[in-house]
Amino acid sequence: MTERESFERQIGRKIEAIRKIYEIKPDVLCQKTGISRKKLESYEKGEEPITLTHLYKITSVFNLSLCYFLKDW
């Protein structure tokens, strides 16, 4: 496992966890952010690196800072 893969998986797990804590279904998050369902699933699984723009849109929905997702790095 490369460091990048580990980072992507960690970010994806955090996105999925915070979405579940706030009880927001994937489709609702996609609608609020303009991110496609396929892309969100890819991010949550850690299959694809998330763009800073998309991460910012997600943090805005939950009123979190980017630091929440990046603090372990």
Side-chain angles (χ1 to χ4, degrees), residues 1-2 10-11 15 17 21 23 29 32 35-36 39 44 46 52 58-60 62-63 67-68:
M1 175 186 318
T2 67
Q10 184 175 13
I11 294 294
I15 292 169
I21 288 169
E23 298 179 347
L29 184 57
K32 290 180 180 245
I35 299 170
S36 72
K39 186 72 83 171
E44 287 188 353
L52 188 56
I58 290 168
T59 61
S60 295
F62 299 111
N63 199 26
C67 294
Y68 173 81

Side-chain angles (χ1 to χ4, degrees), residues 35-47:
I35 299 170
S36 72
R37 175 69 186 257
K38 183 177 179 181
K39 186 72 83 171
L40 179 63
E41 287 175 359
S42 176
Y43 292 155
E44 287 188 353
K45 293 177 183 176
E47 297 173 341

Side-chain angles (χ1 to χ4, degrees), residues 23-37:
E23 298 179 347
I24 293 182
K25 296 186 184 289
D27 290 335
V28 174
L29 184 57
C30 290
Q31 183 180 26
K32 290 180 180 245
T33 60
I35 299 170
S36 72
R37 175 69 186 257

Side-chain angles (χ1 to χ4, degrees), residues 54-71:
H54 283 174
L55 186 58
Y56 178 76
K57 287 178 178 183
I58 290 168
T59 61
S60 295
V61 169
F62 299 111
N63 199 26
L64 296 169
S65 75
L66 288 171
C67 294
Y68 173 81
F69 290 96
L70 305 175
K71 66 183 174 187

Side-chain angles (χ1 to χ4, degrees), residues 1-26:
M1 175 186 318
T2 67
E3 187 174 312
R4 181 177 190 147
E5 289 169 336
S6 175
F7 175 77
E8 290 162 0
R9 285 187 206 154
Q10 184 175 13
I11 294 294
R13 282 193 304 268
K14 286 183 177 183
I15 292 169
E16 183 178 22
I18 199 72
R19 184 176 56 72
K20 288 180 178 181
I21 288 169
Y22 280 79
E23 298 179 347
I24 293 182
K25 296 186 184 289

